[in-house]
Amino acid sequence: MSSTLKKGRINSTLRKFLDSGSSGGIVLMVVALLAIIIANSPLAEAYFSVLHVYLGPLSVLHWINDALMAVFFLMVGLEIKREMMDGQLNSWHRRILPGAAAAGGMVFPALFYLLFNKNNPDAMQGWAIPAATDIAFALGVLSLLGSRVPTSLKIFLAALAIIDDLGAVIIIALFYTANLNLLALAGAFFVLGNLFLFNRMKVKLLWPYLALGAVLWLLVFISGVHATLAGVMLALTTPLKLTPGTPEATPDESPLHRLEHGLHKPVAFFVVPVFGFANAGVSLSGLSLGVFSEPVTMGVAAGLVLGKLVGVLGVVALMVKLRWAQLPAQASWGQVTGTAFLCGIGFTMSLFIGLLAFDDPALQDHVKIGILMGSLVSGTLGATILMMSGRRLPAARTA
């Protein structure tokens, strides 16, 4: 009986995650389109001016990208920790296929980008831009296909994107960190140590973690490490299991479950859409057709479309060929191919890395156009292939 209840709770949590991710992806699509329309309308001047208004020490755009996105990274960190300890990635058997696919889906897009920019040293630092998959967008497309896509494929894509996010976080920490303020960094580690102490003491209340998390964000911001990583640090110190000897924490007693549950909708329907609206707007006025053939634009687009396909599909094929893993249940090779294309929808994290990689507004515009081109092509091809290769499954088999 208890195992049935446990399975039901896991399925319910996963279904809520997929549902919120799918709905959030659809909202993000609408917001991104709205930003592009406004950026090329008579409202463009007001749009860009508001983003550069200063509120205290930071502009509106910096508050969004440095502070608000820390909440997004907190959510990412909570999902990574929960899935690794108590979810679909809690064993090496479950991690191996999405983990290997995520690795291939990060390496090959970077190689495609570098291939297009090998003669442009200033653009080389953007190599990580096409390496990220936007889970909200990708799940949003899958949700539109309904029962034509087996649930196992949605779980595979969600797991792949979560591991992909972990890789992106590590890349940001290692390769996109400015000059360090060692005193502030030492203070951040001191606060982090206290958060780990709260964890070891089994502190159940959320407010001590959130209060120290705010201090941690400020110190990380001052230190030169990108401030959003404070969100990931806070997530990793938030307790999941509280009672020694129990297999898992129930949602009502675990601070991690409570915080994750509380953040799902605000992140999906406010934080990410606000970020998308603030950063997706690119003015096409004054841009010639030549911008679409710029090395940065082509490198990002090719990385997302071809790099993700080669990396994800190629690694999955290799793993299955070597019998190290099996295809997701009820999924065909055509559906896996379509899903590999959907992994080329890189928006939130790709835009974020692009802003870190380049200070030049022209290069940032090239990045945005490349992301929009690559994501549109990947999403269209992925959805088309899934529609052609999928079959409508009985409800009982996808529940």
Side-chain angles (χ1 to χ4, degrees):
M1 179 67 177
S2 60
S3 63
T4 303
L5 290 174
K6 177 180 176 182
K7 182 179 180 180
R9 183 168 67 247
I10 292 175
N11 287 340
S12 176
T13 301
L14 179 61
R15 190 168 297 280
K16 288 179 180 177
F17 169 76
L18 291 174
D19 288 344
S20 65
S22 301
S23 302
I26 294 170
V27 172
L28 186 55
M29 293 178 198
V30 174
V31 167
L33 179 61
L34 182 62
I36 296 171
I37 293 173
I38 291 177
N40 292 277
S41 75
L43 297 174
E45 184 176 351
Y47 169 79
F48 290 110
S49 296
V50 169
L51 291 177
H52 292 92
V53 169
Y54 270 76
L55 299 176
L58 299 175
S59 68
V60 171
L61 186 60
H62 279 104
W63 277 116
I64 292 170
N65 292 346
D66 289 349
L68 197 60
M69 282 298 284
V71 181
F72 166 77
F73 275 80
L74 171 59
M75 185 71 202
V76 168
L78 293 171
E79 289 175 347
I80 290 171
K81 181 173 181 177
R82 174 179 53 77
E83 290 295 335
M84 288 289 187
M85 295 182 64
D86 189 32
Q88 293 298 318
L89 301 174
N90 65 354
S91 68
W92 286 110
H93 175 73
R94 290 182 171 184
R95 295 170 191 161
I96 187 168
L97 186 62
M106 297 187 78
V107 171
F108 282 92
L111 292 177
F112 270 88
Y113 178 89
L114 292 174
L115 180 65
F116 277 87
N117 290 276
K118 60 184 179 181
N119 297 321
N120 188 2
D122 293 336
M124 296 284 277
Q125 59 188 351
W127 61 271
I129 295 169
T133 294
D134 194 297
I135 185 171
F137 255 127
L139 286 174
V141 174
L142 276 184
S143 72
L144 297 176
L145 298 172
S147 60
R148 292 180 181 275
V149 179
T151 301
S152 63
L153 207 57
K154 297 178 183 179
I155 294 172
F156 168 74
L157 178 59
L160 187 157
I162 288 170
I163 297 172
D164 190 288
D165 281 345
L166 176 60
V169 168
I170 294 172
I171 287 172
I172 292 170
L174 294 179
F175 299 102
Y176 295 102
T177 295
N179 295 327
L180 295 179
N181 181 324
L182 296 181
L183 183 61
L185 191 61
F189 275 110
F190 177 76
V191 173
L192 188 62
N194 280 275
L195 285 167
F196 274 112
L197 183 62
F198 285 172
N199 184 300
R200 298 297 297 175
M201 293 172 62
K202 313 296 183 187
V203 175
K204 295 184 180 182
L205 297 174
L206 275 176
W207 72 262
Y209 295 96
L210 297 178
L212 281 186
V215 177
L216 179 65
W217 177 87
L218 179 61
L219 290 170
V220 172
F221 177 80
I222 297 172
S223 74
V225 177
H226 203 275
T228 52
L229 296 181
V232 179
M233 298 177 195
L234 175 59
L236 296 180
T237 60
T238 304
L240 175 63
K241 297 183 179 180
L242 296 171
T243 307
T246 58
E248 68 172 66
T250 58
D252 59 338
E253 75 168 354
S254 164
L256 187 146
H257 280 90
R258 297 202 313 270
L259 184 56
E260 184 183 12
H261 178 75
L263 288 177
H264 254 309
K265 288 185 178 179
V267 168
F269 298 109
F270 177 72
V271 173
V272 172
V274 167
F275 173 82
F277 182 75
N279 291 281
V282 54
S283 176
L284 301 178
S285 63
L287 294 179
S288 65
L289 291 177
V291 72
F292 294 98
S293 61
E294 287 287 337
V296 170
T297 306
M298 292 298 295
V300 171
L304 290 172
V305 178
L306 300 177
K308 285 290 185 180
L309 175 67
V310 173
V312 174
L313 183 61
V315 168
V316 169
L318 180 63
M319 297 288 288
V320 173
K321 179 70 174 178
L322 295 175
R323 298 184 179 180
W324 291 351
Q326 294 180 335
L327 287 181
Q330 300 181 345
S332 66
W333 278 109
Q335 290 173 323
V336 173
T337 302
T339 302
F341 270 116
L342 291 188
C343 290
I345 302 177
F347 193 80
T348 308
M349 197 70 82
S350 291
L351 277 176
F352 190 81
I353 294 175
L355 296 172
L356 295 179
F358 301 120
D359 294 325
D360 184 351
L363 286 178
Q364 289 182 356
D365 282 348
H366 294 174
V367 167
K368 293 177 183 179
I369 293 171
I371 291 172
L372 293 172
M373 285 173 51
S375 298
L376 180 61
V377 172
S378 294
T380 302
L381 289 175
T384 302
I385 292 172
L386 284 167
M387 288 177 64
M388 294 175 62
S389 61
R391 63 187 187 280
R392 194 169 296 279
L393 299 169
R397 297 180 68 183
T398 58

